[in-house]
Amino acid sequence: MMSKQILKRVVITGMGVVAPNAINVSDFYKSLKIGKSGLTYDQQLADLSFGCRVSGTPHLTVEHIAKYFTPLQLRGLKASGLVYGVIAGKDAFKDAGLTVADKGCALSDFGIVMGTGQSGGEKFREAIHLIDDGRVRRLGSTSVIQTMTSGVSAWLSGELGAGNMVTSNSSACCTGTEAFIMGYERIAYGKATQMLVGSTSDSGPYIWGGFDAMRILPTGYNNHPEQASRPFSDDAAGFVPGSGAGVMVLEELDSALKRGATIYGEVLGGSLNSGGHRGSGSMTAPNGDAVQQCIQQAVEQSGVSNKDIDAINGHITATGKDGYEVSNWVEGLQLINQFPYLNSFKSTVGHCLAAAGSIELVGAILQLKHQEIFPNQNITKLHSDINAIYPAEKIPTKVVQTDIDILIKASFGFGDVNAAVVLKRWKDELNND
């Protein structure tokens, strides 16, 4: 009989973010705390006759981008998601205090999981026109890396010298949270020491057009973009498309302690599953039973109980499914008398699609670090379905200073896929602080 493997403890030692309302972790923290919105009127969407003309697009200057790419690398670079991912990835690596591998040998214990949904939409558009015009040789040498899903992980591997597993995942809105769990498991099972994990998503009409066609984006707030994303509210009218990247460095605890790394929090465990498009599930709708099972499995695998959870960072997209998600949290965690604080960051950053989970994980980890619940914005009146099952004071509209020991974050995506991860506040166990 084989003995059960003892999993290694995993902590978070670095973070980087490129979000609609901030392009570094420090500013992201300030923006989430004060409820600063990154949603703006998008003239390009208006010119293309989109119904929704609001987007959450990171505001990167040419000067800022030039700090991360050489002039040669910038030549013909049109994949915005790759740009976001490389910036956030290099920032997270630097924040963790890691050293780039020298030219002689890759870092065999350091790997990368960077996911995305679609990559290089603008580059694809350029390539299609050039090919159709018989000008194939004008595509340039970087067209492949800009448009392949693993382009961002491959690019970062070359920049940093990753010698462990280097890959990309793609699971719609779950992508970032899934990448986080994949990296955690890699370390927990002793196959890596550090993993750079996260996800990125392109900006622009070629990414967002399909959602506008589905009529699931808000159209009544084009003149008031900051009010367009309304999670939990009775007048939620659809999700606002966003983009960006979130990246974290996960590390085996002994390694982090040995090198004196800053520790943001500990990863206790996580769960991934699918509803299989059965029951209430479909390509665009979640199977509630599977959602609840994912939540329950994440808690069970983390070795905590439901009553230990102090905060929930939900997926909550500002659509008609908000109430259904809240009911699945209530059922999944068997909430009766004790309710954790519940929030969503989509009121200020929109729905960043493949980057949603990773950007929101950075925010969730910041809540743990600062012992604060960041406010929900744009709730005119709590939706009646939510108000009937969840205390309004636990869905705060102002920042709350409180003790957060255990936080659970989840993402639920197109294709009926689910991801949930449980995080713990870091305390120096030697000093009990």
Side-chain angles (χ1 to χ4, degrees), residues 56-293:
T57 303
H59 303 287
L60 288 171
T61 64
V62 172
E63 291 77 16
H64 189 80
I65 294 172
K67 296 177 182 178
Y68 297 81
F69 298 88
T70 68
L72 181 60
Q73 289 173 330
L74 287 171
R75 189 178 301 169
L77 183 57
K78 293 181 177 293
S80 55
L82 188 148
V83 172
Y84 303 149
V86 169
I87 291 174
K90 292 175 80 170
D91 280 354
F93 188 86
K94 180 180 179 181
D95 184 48
L98 298 176
T99 303
V100 174
D102 61 34
K103 295 299 182 181
C105 186
L107 302 170
S108 62
D109 291 326
F110 170 69
I112 297 173
V113 183
M114 275 293 293
T116 188
Q118 298 166 273
S119 182
E122 289 282 351
K123 195 65 178 179
F124 260 124
R125 178 176 181 268
E126 178 187 76
I128 288 168
H129 285 297
L130 287 171
I131 292 170
D132 286 347
D133 291 341
R135 302 166 64 198
V136 177
R137 294 184 182 277
R138 299 293 297 172
L139 287 177
S141 61
T142 65
S143 61
V144 173
I145 195 168
Q146 288 191 59
T147 55
M148 69 183 192
T149 301
S150 59
V152 63
S153 56
W155 192 297
L156 282 167
S157 177
E159 293 274 349
L160 306 175
N164 204 276
M165 180 178 75
V166 174
T167 190
S168 293
N169 65 309
S170 186
S171 295
C173 316
C174 284
T175 301
T177 307
E178 180 182 80
F180 188 92
I181 294 171
M182 290 171 66
Y184 158 75
E185 291 178 344
R186 186 86 179 164
I187 298 171
Y189 283 95
K191 297 181 179 181
T193 300
Q194 295 120 354
M195 293 292 296
L196 187 144
V197 300
S199 61
T200 188
S201 186
D202 274 23
S203 300
Y206 306 108
I207 303 299
W208 303 329
F211 300 109
D212 197 74
M214 292 173 68
R215 299 184 181 181
I216 56 175
L217 309 185
T219 59
Y221 295 89
N222 292 334
N223 294 327
H224 305 282
E226 294 182 356
Q227 301 174 23
S229 183
R230 312 180 70 78
F232 301 108
S233 186
D234 65 345
D235 55 2
F239 74 78
V240 174
S243 56
V247 182
M248 292 134 285
V249 172
L250 303 182
E251 185 165 356
E252 194 270 320
L253 175 60
D254 287 344
S255 169
L257 293 176
K258 183 177 180 179
R259 64 186 191 87
T262 296
I263 296 177
Y264 289 99
E266 183 172 3
V267 188
L268 297 184
S271 178
L272 301 167
N273 77 354
S274 169
H277 303 198
R278 299 299 188 265
S280 60
S282 69
M283 183 62 73
T284 58
N287 176 330
D289 290 339
V291 168
Q292 293 176 34
Q293 289 168 9

Side-chain angles (χ1 to χ4, degrees), residues 29 55 96 124 163:
Y29 164 64
S55 72
F124 260 124

